[in-house]
């Protein structure tokens, strides 16, 4: 059986938040031994407005925000 590499893609607006945890401990060893690949993608890279907005208010009001469909 062929060895496979697990690929993990994370979509976030907080890319810097993932730098520390993935550079330590068992996750770091898994990456070094090529058992896992972790790719962190910034959602703002796919926005088209000048403010790189990724969220919007809920339809009908209420607390919280929702993800825009565009990114």
């Amino acid at each position: 059986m062929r060895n496979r590499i697990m690929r993990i893609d994370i979509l976030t607006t907080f890319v810097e938040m993932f730098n520390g945890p993935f550079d330590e401990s068992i996750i770091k060893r898994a990456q070094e031994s090529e058992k896992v690949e972790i790719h962190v993608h910034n959602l703002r890279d796919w926005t088209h407005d000048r403010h790189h907005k990724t969220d919007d208010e809920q339809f009908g009001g209420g607390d919280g925000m929702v993800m825009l469909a565009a990114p």
Side-chain angles (χ1 to χ4, degrees):
M1 184 173 184
R2 197 173 106 205
N3 288 340
R4 296 183 135 199
I5 298 173
M6 177 186 290
R7 180 181 169 127
I8 300 171
D9 288 280
I10 299 171
L11 305 172
T12 181
T13 55
F14 303 104
V15 176
E16 298 81 20
M17 205 170 93
F18 293 93
N19 291 337
F22 294 153
D23 293 336
E24 301 295 329
S25 188
I26 195 167
I27 297 175
K28 180 180 179 180
R29 291 193 309 259
Q31 290 181 85
E32 288 172 348
S33 64
E34 298 180 356
K35 295 189 185 308
V36 67
E37 287 181 359
I38 300 175
H39 301 271
V40 181
H41 306 278
N42 190 343
L43 283 171
R44 296 182 195 283
D45 292 343
W46 288 284
T47 59
H48 300 289
D49 65 320
R50 70 178 186 167
H51 298 292
H52 301 287
K53 189 175 174 182
T54 59
D55 55 0
D56 200 2
E57 295 180 16
Q58 295 183 38
F59 180 76
D63 293 334
M65 303 292 279
V66 294
M67 179 72 64
L68 285 170

